Amino acid sequence: MALRKTEGKEEIMESPSEAKARQVFSGKEKKILTTFSIEPTFKAELEDLFRDMGLGWAAGIRFALKEFYKKHNE
């Protein structure tokens, strides 16, 4: 983040990545960042499955968690 003085005022200049992060994390709900361990072979299988679905790793995990919740919430 850079500061620029303009006629006695300080103006904050955001980089594009900072602006994108602010946009992503300023939604109605706060995001929860989490970590977990997974076997490398199982991860590779999941990555292949997600790639076939047109999803990246994070999007595939979110999709799988939503489907799991729908299935077991009923």
Side-chain angles (χ1 to χ4, degrees), residues 5 7-8 16 26 42 53 56 59 68 70 72 74:
K5 285 196 172 194
E7 299 176 20
S26 67
F42 185 56
M53 296 170 64
F68 179 86
K70 280 193 256 183
H72 293 284
E74 296 171 352

Side-chain angles (χ1 to χ4, degrees), residues 54-68:
L55 300 172
W57 173 253
I61 293 296
R62 285 191 298 269
F63 174 79
L65 288 171
K66 286 177 186 174
E67 289 299 311
F68 179 86

Side-chain angles (χ1 to χ4, degrees), residues 7-66:
E7 299 176 20
K9 292 182 180 179
E10 285 186 0
E11 188 176 308
I12 298 174
M13 303 289 293
E14 287 184 322
S15 71
S17 60
E18 288 173 326
K20 179 66 176 174
R22 185 176 310 282
Q23 177 187 4
V24 167
F25 290 106
S26 67
K28 294 178 184 175
E29 292 184 280
K30 296 199 184 271
K31 306 288 184 201
I32 297 173
L33 302 178
T34 185
T35 59
F36 58 93
S37 298
I38 189 168
E39 295 170 345
T41 54
F42 185 56
K43 183 177 187 250
E45 291 175 24
L46 288 175
E47 285 176 322
D48 291 341
L49 174 65
F50 296 154
R51 190 177 313 111
D52 291 344
M53 296 170 64
L55 300 172
W57 173 253
I61 293 296
R62 285 191 298 269
F63 174 79
L65 288 171
K66 286 177 186 174

